[in-house]
Each structure stands twice: as C-alpha cells, then as structure tokens.
Amino acid sequence: MPETSAVHTIDIPGLTGASAGLTGEFVLPAGEGPWPGVVLVHEAFGINDVMRRQAERFARAGYIALMPDLFTEGGARKCLNQTFRELSAGTGRSFADIESARQLLIARADCTGEVGIIGFCMGGGFALAAASLGFGAASANYGRLPKPLDESLVGACPIIGSYGGKDNSLKGAARKLDESLTRLGIDHDVKEYPEAGHSFLNDEESGPPALRFIMKRILGAGPNPEAAADAWTRIDAFFGEHLAKKS
C-alpha cells in the first residue's frame, strides 16, 4: 500500500452537545483525492499507538481517516464510565463527538461524501449504535450489542461484524447479531473466529500492563494475526463495496 501523511492530532468543530475542545487523530491517503472517509472509534483504553496504526491503515487503503477522542474532556479515567452509559443509552456527548467527526469529513472538498464507521472494543459497540445515523457502512469489532437489538438496528447501513470465540464477555454475540440483521434484511457479514478473543485485531498488547493477564484469562484478549488477517480482508472488501465503489 502507498505511504500516507503522518497521523496527527486536529481540532474537530463540535456540534451541539459534543466534547468541549474535541480533538481527533487524522490521516490522509497519499496522492490526490477525492476519497471516501472513515470515522474510527477507539477502544476503552482510549487513543494509543495501536489505535493510531489502525487509522493509518485505513489511509493506506485510500480513506480519509479520523478518530475522535471520546475522552477529550478528561481521559479514560474520568470519561470511561460516562461514555459507557451513553453507549447503553444510545445518546449523549459521545454520539455528538462521532457525528462531529462525520460532518468534518463530509465537509472536506477532498472527501467523496461517503463515510463509514469502524469501532474496536467499546468502539465496536458505538459502530453498531451509530449504524443508523447516516454512515454508508459500519464495522463492529468485538462490540457490545445494543438493546433492544432489532429495534436499535432498524434502518442501519450495511454492517460487518467480527468476534472472537474465546471472548467470554460476548458469548453468542456474533450469532445474535447475524440473526437480527437477517431478520431486518440489512446487508451484512458477521463472523466469529473460534481461536481468537477480545482485541484480536490489535497488532500488539494494549491497555495497562497490570490488567493484561486478567484480560487474557477472562476475555482471551490479545493479538491473533491469523484471525486479524482474515477479518481485515473481509473489512476491506466490505468497505470497498459500500463506500469506495460509490465514490
């Protein structure tokens, strides 16, 4: 894949209800646009180098990538509980932050106007919850399912989901999501990887070192290169079909 501009932090003009001083990690593809865009939603540990590399990966694939910092107003320690409450409620500051990022991409002259969303861990839950909010495609990676499931997904864009069979926090989630999307007639691709756990798309261990052993034991958390390679192939094809081909 071609080189990209460096990932850097930018200010995101916040819509009503968004975080004060909202920022995000931004990276452009190489060459000349216009390109489709992707809003990336970070994992529960916040934006780190692992997450920045995910953004850069999308830029190399030909997307304008923007990852809003949902913890702008105080970091994970102060914002995590509130952010999860908003995820459960399906409304709040976090959703305003995500929509602010989408609107920034749409407004750019070098964006085609087609914008997808991808989330990891906590962000995967947001990708599902925001799938009916104007995005062209959504990728939920080991994301918590919204409740009530069918009602929450009515009118959703095409969805691709990837889950790990060893993730004890999301037992049966892939099957439930697949069945719901089938009932609703939404274009989708949902797959569970039996030998993978939570965070298997990460290219290295993430989160506080003191928690990694516990996360590995309970969630099977950690990189799984074989499952990740297959999941990325599916995600690239799915976004290519629903975003890039419309550009």
Side-chain angles (χ1 to χ4, degrees):
M1 291 183 179
E3 293 299 317
T4 68
S5 63
V7 180
H8 59 285
T9 304
I10 64 168
D11 294 326
I12 301 174
L15 302 176
T16 300
S19 297
L22 179 63
T23 64
E25 299 302 295
F26 179 81
V27 57
L28 278 172
E32 295 184 5
W35 306 280
V38 173
V39 173
L40 298 96
V41 189
H42 56 75
E43 61 186 14
F45 297 121
I47 294 177
N48 53 30
D49 287 342
V50 173
M51 293 291 102
R52 292 185 183 93
R53 287 194 293 273
Q54 306 290 34
E56 191 171 29
R57 187 191 184 285
F58 267 99
R60 290 198 304 270
Y63 299 86
I64 306 174
L66 177 58
M67 181 181 295
D69 185 357
L70 303 190
F71 301 155
T72 290
E73 290 195 13
R77 180 171 296 181
K78 292 184 178 180
C79 298
L80 185 61
N81 288 337
Q82 177 182 334
T83 304
F84 268 106
R85 286 196 298 269
E86 292 167 354
L87 175 58
S88 296
T91 187
R93 184 176 67 190
S94 301
F95 287 92
D97 291 350
I98 290 168
E99 179 61 13
S100 297
R102 188 177 79 91
Q103 290 297 330
L104 185 152
L105 291 174
I106 291 172
R108 291 182 60 93
D110 55 3
C111 181
T112 64
E114 295 292 336
V115 178
I117 183 170
I118 183 170
F120 309 89
C121 176
M122 177 190 76
F126 276 105
L128 288 176
S132 60
L133 301 180
F135 290 98
S139 174
N141 301 291
Y142 26 91
R144 194 167 77 183
L145 303 184
K147 296 179 181 179
L149 184 56
D150 283 13
E151 182 179 326
S152 299
L153 293 175
V154 169
C157 62
I159 292 173
I160 179 167
S162 299
Y163 290 83
K166 292 186 176 180
D167 185 350
N168 291 317
S169 69
L170 292 167
K171 286 293 186 183
R175 174 184 54 79
K176 292 175 184 176
L177 179 59
D178 182 73
E179 291 174 349
S180 176
L181 295 172
T182 299
R183 284 192 297 270
L184 295 171
I186 295 170
D187 189 5
H188 64 284
D189 172 6
V190 179
K191 184 172 181 178
E192 180 178 275
Y193 294 89
E195 298 305 313
H198 204 74
S199 303
F200 72 86
L201 280 173
N202 288 354
D203 59 8
E204 67 178 10
E205 298 287 344
S206 185
L211 294 179
R212 291 177 186 174
F213 174 78
I214 297 173
M215 291 178 62
K216 185 72 173 179
R217 179 160 187 161
I218 297 175
L219 307 180
N224 185 306
E226 183 176 353
D230 184 79
W232 280 122
T233 297
R234 293 170 45 243
I235 293 167
D236 288 341
F238 198 83
F239 273 37
E241 177 183 357
H242 294 289
L243 299 175
K245 288 184 179 179
K246 294 182 180 180
S247 303

